[in-house]
Amino acid sequence: MKNIVIIATGGMIAGSGEAGRTTEYRAGTVAVADILKSVPQLGKLANIEMISLMSVDSNEMDEQKWLQLREVINQQAARDDVDGIVVTHGTDTIEETAYFLNLTVNTAKPVVLTGAMRPATATSADGPFNIYQAVALAADDQTYDCGVVCLFSSTIYSARDIAKINNYKIDAFSSPNDHAALGYMRDAEVFITSRPVSKHTIHSKFSQLEYSTLPKVGVAVYYAGAPAEVLERLGQDCDGLVVIGTGSGNYSQA
Ligand code: ASP
């Protein structure tokens, strides 16, 4: 059997709330080890090791936590006795963490991020099945050198293209802008139907660099009548700015 390391970071998948309800949860309050106990079939998929790295709502993720996570993934992936990594993460910012890791981790071994839209205490919590499929995906040879991927509701997404598009369904993710998902799963069976062509992980120059800090980049969203002073303020605090414009990146004269 393959050896898979699960790195827990918090989020709804480890969230708790009123029994049966999906709202008013507290993220990162349930030990992922307890969630694993609710999926006894995991032991048939792979040998599992657990690292509880942090226990945060993913809105508390920041550059330093990303660097910490990257470091732990690189350390674990460098072990000869580790075949793949699963990261449990809150869904709100999972696409940002996944994108960062996709460009910066230095391994071709599978790195699979997953989470849940319902807290562990909800009726039909989706976390246990997502973890089950994420472990199966990380243990599958097809996932090798696919870049960082995310697994939700039986769909396999490239970290490069995934976006959260819904805030109440368990099928809350998509690959917008005409990018297809990489494949799908049926229980533990993996069907990769396309592979990323953009550079990722060991092929990305960012994966070869060491970082102790990251530059601070501000993001401003343009909308009709948006005040330009926001940019001056952001410019004082940040090393660089990104403006999310309209259409193909447009904004007013101001
Ligand atoms: N607020 C939670 C988080 O991102 C939501 C979730 O995990 O679905 O940590």
Side-chain angles (χ1 to χ4, degrees):
M1 272 201 303
K2 297 274 184 77
N3 300 315
I4 303 299
V5 176
I6 300 181
I7 303 171
T9 69
M12 177 88 98
I13 193 164
S16 60
E18 197 183 313
R21 294 196 58 190
T22 60
T23 51
E24 291 170 35
Y25 62 93
R26 278 169 300 121
T29 47
V30 176
V32 173
D34 287 338
I35 301 169
L36 297 188
K37 281 187 208 141
S38 68
V39 198
Q41 309 88 320
L42 270 185
K44 292 194 181 131
L45 292 178
N47 301 312
I48 310 282
E49 260 181 62
M50 265 298 306
I51 297 177
S52 289
L53 185 63
M54 52 189 96
S55 218
V56 295
D57 183 293
S58 74
N59 294 289
E60 304 302 330
M61 274 288 163
D62 56 25
E63 296 90 335
Q64 280 310 316
K65 294 193 183 76
W66 280 348
L67 290 174
Q68 196 186 348
L69 180 57
R70 172 197 190 225
E71 179 71 25
V72 175
I73 292 173
N74 280 345
Q75 279 166 4
Q76 294 304 314
R79 287 172 48 191
D80 290 339
D81 61 343
V82 168
D83 299 298
I85 313 260
V86 169
V87 177
T88 58
H89 194 289
T91 61
D92 287 347
T93 66
I94 198 168
E95 65 202 59
E96 298 179 44
T97 300
Y99 192 85
F100 171 75
L101 295 174
N102 190 47
L103 290 176
T104 60
V105 295
N106 192 12
T107 182
K109 291 181 185 173
V111 177
V112 181
L113 273 67
T114 195
M117 289 297 290
R118 293 178 180 157
T121 46
T123 305
S124 299
D126 52 332
F129 192 62
N130 282 343
I131 289 188
Y132 175 75
Q133 291 198 313
V135 168
L137 185 59
D140 197 291
D141 291 339
Q142 294 175 78
T143 320
Y144 190 84
D145 203 19
C146 259
V148 173
V149 298
C150 299
L151 183 281
F152 275 94
S153 292
S154 302
T155 309
I156 304 160
Y157 298 96
S158 167
R160 195 179 169 88
D161 300 315
I162 186 170
K164 185 171 179 180
I165 52 147
N166 187 280
N167 61 12
Y168 59 91
K169 292 181 184 171
I170 57 172
D171 194 6
F173 289 88
S174 182
S175 285
N177 298 326
D178 296 336
H179 300 304
L182 296 185
Y184 63 98
M185 294 184 70
R186 279 218 183 106
D187 289 335
E189 218 179 335
V190 176
F191 300 88
I192 300 275
T193 52
S194 52
R195 301 181 73 85
V197 288
S198 305
K199 286 187 181 165
H200 58 72
T201 59
I202 54 168
H203 313 288
S204 154
K205 66 179 177 187
F206 302 114
S207 68
Q208 310 304 324
L209 303 176
E210 287 307 321
Y211 307 92
S212 54
T213 56
L214 293 170
K216 199 167 170 194
V217 177
V219 180
V221 179
Y222 178 72
Y223 53 91
E229 299 78 56
V230 169
L231 296 181
E232 279 158 32
R233 176 63 221 284
L234 275 176
Q236 286 162 14
D237 291 348
C238 299
D239 303 304
L241 299 182
V242 173
V243 178
I244 301 180
T246 54
S248 52
N250 305 314
Y251 38 82
S252 67
Q253 294 287 327

